Amino acid sequence: MIPSTKRSRGFFPFVCAPKATTAAVCLGVVLCLFSAGVFTFVPSFDTFRRKQFSSSARALSAQGEPWQEQRVDFAREREPWTPLSAFPVGTRELLRAREDARFPWHPGVDPLALGAALHSTIVHSRRRGASTLDMQVARLVFPSLRAFSPWQRKLMEPFVALALRARWGFRGVEESWLNLVPLPGGVEGLPAAAKLHFGARGGALAQLPLADIDALIAHAPRPGSAAARAWVAARQAERTSGIEKPDVLASGVSFQVPHLLQSLLEGRLPGHLSPSKSARGQTFQTHINAALQADIEKAARGELARLRGRNANNVAVLVVDNATANVIAYLGDVTRLPEPDARSAPEKPWVDNVVSFRQAGSTLKPFLYALAFEKRYITPKTQLLDTPYERAKAQGTYRPRNYDLRFQGSVSAESALANSRNVPAVRVLDVVGVPAFAARLEALTIPVGDAPELYGESLALGTLDVTLWHLVQAYVSLARAAWRPEAARTPARLVAFPAQAHSMNPPPPPVFRSPESAQEVARILSSNTLRASSFGLDSPLATPFETAVKTGTSVDMRDNWCLGFTPQHTVGVWVGNADGEPMWDVSGVEGAAPLWRDVMERLQNFHNATEGAQVSRDANFAMPLATSEPLNTMEQEPLPPFTSRVLVPEEGTLFTRDPGIPNEVERIVLSARVPKKPRGTPFLNAHRLHLNGSPLSLETRETRQGNDVLVALWPPSPGRHRLALVDSDGREVDAVTFLVK
């Protein structure tokens, strides 16, 4: 007798019919045998988890907090992989109750549910589901199963499910389901849905009530159903009406344009490897100090507000730790709107001005003078001509001008660098040579290109296009060479993302072969007295603590630069317009320098607070160099009585003849100081200057602070010369050698 249909339906699922039980047992044996072969193709759980990425790339601050976020996958919404322990307590029980009540009791395929499904289909012609958590995860882990027909897929899923359970275990399967299951609104995984609908992310996920988790799980297998759509609409209405759970709201992520992260993903960050397209949605660790970053952004916003009426709309700031070359603050532009005054929001804030190429201006001069000092072409005391300069070119006559449109005649090299005189810098480049200077810039990782001769003499004045990143990197190398001589031969490589920074193989070529040259440049750039004639004693460059600093302004005032360093940090600032539009009468000392000083002071306060030490002005810059005496020594200190020596030139000075000055009128000033000639002493019995063994005719004999200064104007001739100071008895008191080219 055939049992009634009603009795058969009521009998399941509590007790299976004998035929169904036998079929289930036989099927289970077959599944186990075939799953052993599938097992070898299933990756380990850790391997699979490492290959799962979020739909957004994230950058963490040095403190491990979310800092920047950039959407990289617009086909789905997924959060970073969340471990099972980060979900609220009781989530596993909810999941099993909703999806697979016998999950702990079967090996991945539920024989009872499968037998019941087969019996219902064969005997009663009714389809009945038998899917387990493992089988659902199998479809999510191996999306290639969707390419098969429904019957083929149903035959293959049990084998994969058994292999997954054997390889991943209970926790691996449950954790994968929670992170991969499709949810309403095109969302994948409960963490992404919790962020979207409840504002919970990271540690806030564990604080969600189980009722919210249960609601997410309930709609998970049916993301397109009417109930699911209604639930999503209710959650969106709840969010827009302001009904939020304040204890689980996301915090820490900056809703500004993620310049640093964006540049990494686009492959525009020098020295860093861009992640592959499939691995872009991961979390990247940085060295950014979130508190310092916020402080600098506040200062930059205030600077743009100050320059609002002078057509300066964009800014960039880069701060680096000199010892490690780690980037601790990175501001591509000010992008968040200040409240309540939104008028100071910058134009084109999506441009990352740290890695955008701009004209360098005078920021390259320190490296030119360092190279000239290193090769002993000049010394800081060498007198350079600051007179009209002309050089015939195929395109016309090249006539460089100083910023103030004036000439000072003869200036020392240290004064020319400190006051950023253009014409003396061009004359120094004539001596050093464009190829040698271009090679030095390349060694400092400043790209020049294959044809540096196209820049010619203008390379000294910064017609080269550079980025703030490259300039700061070069200034870090200079700072290291000045205070860490053991690192003088190694150019710095800035590190923003430790895991993405690639090592230099083979090692980079040496740079700053002579640490003394870098120390001299640092001393000159830190002297407020030396730059006083151009910048004054109370300029933004005069910080309360010692800093070496250089400004720069490009043609038509399109770019303002200010770069400087202490022994601990290097700070670079750019101010201008992202579209290259000129500013209105804004020089480097007026535009970038005030912000640079503000950042330096904030950085020094931050350093003092973290290190618990005050750094004095004198302690920072201790230059152990005999040539580091001030330029105006004769005016600052009385000359010792009866001390005779040659004043100009100093030992090893190199003079270069100016092709623009006729030979018959060109002269070099030679001078020496001697004791004051007693009244009535014949002139022939006094001290004399001898050049190459022959006496020179004196043009003047001046008296300064009780001593006489002998001055001779000598028509230069190429070659190496020896200038001697001879006393009244014919004895040589002092002598120097110099070179004329």
Side-chain angles (χ1 to χ4, degrees):
M1 180 178 177
I2 300 175
S4 66
T5 304
K6 182 177 181 181
R7 181 170 180 172
S8 299
R9 286 198 300 267
F11 192 64
F12 286 102
F14 302 101
V15 179
C16 296
K19 292 182 179 180
T21 304
T22 303
V25 171
C26 294
L27 185 61
V29 173
V30 173
L31 289 176
C32 291
L33 292 175
F34 278 95
S35 297
V38 180
F39 181 87
T40 58
F41 296 98
V42 176
S44 68
F45 178 65
D46 290 336
T47 301
F48 173 77
R49 182 175 54 184
R50 284 195 299 267
K51 294 182 179 180
Q52 303 307 304
F53 300 106
S54 168
S55 58
S56 297
R58 290 173 175 83
L60 302 181
S61 67
Q63 294 74 30
E65 297 295 329
W67 176 54
Q68 288 186 343
E69 185 173 325
Q70 173 70 30
R71 185 72 178 266
V72 295
D73 185 355
F74 294 92
R76 60 181 179 175
E77 177 76 25
R78 183 195 283 185
E79 283 290 285
W81 191 274
T82 304
L84 196 59
S85 58
F87 288 89
V89 177
T91 300
R92 300 178 70 181
E93 289 72 15
L94 280 176
L95 175 60
R96 295 173 183 179
R98 283 282 185 183
E99 298 298 324
D100 193 347
R102 288 189 292 271
F103 178 75
W105 310 109
H106 62 70
V109 175
D110 188 348
L112 297 180
L114 195 57
L118 287 173
H119 184 271
S120 179
T121 302
I122 296 172
V123 176
H124 305 292
S125 300
R126 292 184 56 190
R127 292 186 177 182
R128 178 172 178 168
S131 178
T132 62
L133 274 179
D134 306 82
M135 296 170 71
Q136 293 182 45
V137 171
R139 291 193 292 269
L140 298 172
V141 172
F142 297 100
S144 57
L145 292 174
R146 300 170 188 169
F148 297 93
S149 66
W151 282 105
Q152 291 174 324
R153 186 166 62 247
K154 288 183 180 297
L155 289 174
M156 297 173 67
E157 282 178 1
F159 300 110
V160 180
L162 288 170
L164 280 175
R165 174 65 71 87
R167 190 125 168 100
W168 290 7
F170 294 104
R171 296 184 64 87
V173 172
E174 290 176 311
E175 187 174 307
S176 299
W177 191 96
L178 292 171
N179 281 276
L180 300 176
V181 66
L183 288 153
V187 178
E188 289 188 10
L190 263 64
K195 171 196 169 186
L196 177 65
H197 299 303
F198 304 116
R201 66 185 306 166
L205 178 63
Q207 303 176 26
L208 279 179
L210 282 178
D212 291 340
I213 297 295
D214 187 40
L216 294 176
I217 296 176
H219 295 297
R222 296 162 290 278
S225 66
R229 290 195 298 270
W231 186 85
V232 171
R235 299 288 77 73
Q236 291 175 342
E238 183 179 284
R239 295 179 67 203
T240 55
S241 63
I243 305 175
E244 290 279 5
K245 298 176 176 60
D247 57 331
V248 298
L249 293 181
S251 62
V253 175
S254 172
F255 293 99
Q256 60 176 336
V257 177
H259 292 119
L260 179 58
L261 185 58
Q262 201 171 50
S263 294
L264 173 71
L265 297 176
E266 295 174 359
R268 297 191 297 121
L269 199 63
H272 289 72
L273 298 174
S274 178
S276 62
K277 188 175 181 180
S278 60
R280 297 174 71 191
Q282 57 181 300
T283 300
F284 301 93
Q285 181 65 53
T286 73
H287 297 292
I288 298 296
N289 186 289
L292 179 64
Q293 175 80 18
D295 217 19
I296 290 175
E297 184 176 344
K298 180 180 179 181
R301 190 183 303 122
E303 178 65 12
L304 284 184
R306 184 182 68 85
L307 296 172
R308 186 184 308 159
R310 304 175 74 174
N311 199 37
N313 299 302
N314 301 97
V315 67
V317 181
L318 189 60
V319 182
V320 177
D321 182 281
N322 290 338
T324 60
N326 291 336
V327 176
I328 61 175
Y330 186 108
L331 185 65
D333 206 342
V334 178
T335 55
R336 284 186 289 188
L337 303 182
E339 297 293 343
D341 185 9
R343 292 176 299 170
S344 59
E347 298 180 5
K348 302 175 179 59
W350 53 87
V351 177
D352 186 354
N353 296 296
V354 172
V355 294
S356 298
F357 281 87
R358 315 283 179 184
Q359 202 174 69
S362 296
T363 57
L364 303 181
K365 290 177 182 176
F367 309 111
L368 172 63
Y369 281 86
L371 181 59
F373 294 159
E374 180 182 298
K375 292 184 175 296
R376 307 297 296 174
Y377 291 153
I378 60 174
T379 69
K381 305 298 183 181
T382 298
Q383 295 295 306
L384 304 174
L385 289 176
D386 186 11
T387 56
Y389 178 98
E390 291 186 358
R391 182 63 56 86
K393 298 290 182 181
Q395 300 82 2
T397 303
Y398 177 62
R399 297 186 182 92
R401 299 181 300 174
N402 293 313
Y403 182 81
D404 59 5
L405 304 180
R406 299 177 181 177
F407 298 100
Q408 295 184 352
S410 178
V411 296
S412 65
E414 60 183 2
S415 178
L417 173 58
N419 293 282
S420 197
R421 309 297 294 178
N422 288 341
V423 176
V426 172
R427 297 185 188 278
V428 172
L429 183 60
D430 280 341
V431 178
V432 172
V434 172
F437 184 40
R440 172 54 57 90
L441 294 179
E442 288 282 357
L444 289 165
T445 70
I446 297 178
V448 179
D450 298 330
E453 64 276 0
L454 295 179
Y455 295 99
E457 291 82 358
S458 68
L459 187 61
L461 307 185
T463 54
L464 178 69
D465 284 344
V466 299
T467 67
L468 181 61
W469 179 281
H470 288 119
L471 282 177
V472 170
Q473 191 164 248
Y475 274 78
V476 171
S477 297
L478 180 61
R480 283 181 165 187
W483 284 285
R484 299 176 59 209
E486 70 279 2
R489 296 176 60 87
T490 306
R493 293 294 187 274
L494 303 189
V495 177
F497 297 93
Q500 301 301 123
H502 61 79
S503 58
M504 303 302 292
N505 239 345
V511 67
F512 294 122
R513 294 178 177 85
S514 168
E516 290 78 10
S517 64
Q519 292 170 345
E520 281 289 5
V521 169
R523 177 188 64 82
I524 294 169
L525 296 182
S526 66
S527 174
N528 198 38
T529 304
L530 283 176
R531 59 173 170 258
S533 62
S534 293
F535 300 98
L537 293 173
D538 193 25
S539 72
L541 308 180
T543 56
F545 46 91
E546 199 76 30
T547 50
V549 57
K550 186 72 185 72
T551 62
T553 304
S554 66
V555 176
D556 296 332
M557 295 187 178
R558 298 178 186 273
D559 308 284
N560 275 183
W561 303 92
C562 191
L563 296 107
F565 51 86
T566 64
Q568 295 80 26
H569 301 101
T570 296
V571 176
V573 174
W574 170 87
V575 172
N577 292 301
D579 58 3
E581 185 178 349
M583 294 172 286
W584 301 337
D585 194 26
V586 181
S587 64
V589 73
E590 296 171 318
L595 176 57
W596 173 85
R597 173 171 175 154
D598 195 349
V599 172
M600 267 296 184
E601 291 180 349
R602 293 169 188 260
L603 186 62
Q604 191 69 12
N605 293 335
F606 173 80
H607 176 73
N608 292 340
T610 55
E611 299 295 331
Q614 297 291 332
V615 182
S616 68
R617 182 177 179 89
D618 295 331
N620 267 356
F621 283 67
M623 292 299 173
L625 300 173
T627 57
S628 61
E629 59 180 313
L631 173 65
N632 53 352
T633 301
M634 296 177 61
E635 288 73 24
Q636 289 188 345
E637 301 176 0
L639 297 178
F642 306 107
T643 300
S644 303
R645 71 177 182 89
V646 176
L647 292 177
V648 180
E650 287 198 348
E651 177 65 31
T653 298
L654 171 66
F655 292 98
T656 303
R657 300 185 62 181
D658 191 338
I661 300 178
N663 294 338
E664 57 271 16
V665 298
E666 187 173 20
R667 295 291 185 271
I668 291 179
V669 177
L670 307 176
S671 64
R673 63 183 185 186
V674 296
K676 183 174 178 60
K677 179 176 72 68
R679 182 174 299 177
T681 304
F683 182 75
L684 292 177
N685 293 335
H687 289 67
R688 299 297 302 268
L689 286 172
H690 286 229
L691 184 66
N692 302 327
S694 301
L696 286 172
S697 60
L698 299 179
E699 297 291 336
T700 59
R701 187 182 185 97
E702 305 173 359
T703 300
R704 298 179 186 173
Q705 301 183 9
N707 297 285
D708 282 357
V709 176
L710 310 181
V711 180
L713 299 179
W714 172 67
S717 60
R720 186 172 299 277
H721 305 276
R722 187 174 188 274
L723 179 66
L725 177 63
V726 180
D727 64 12
S728 56
D729 297 327
R731 292 175 301 186
E732 192 174 280
V733 178
D734 190 20
V736 297
T737 58
F738 62 94
L739 182 65
V740 177
K741 284 190 176 181

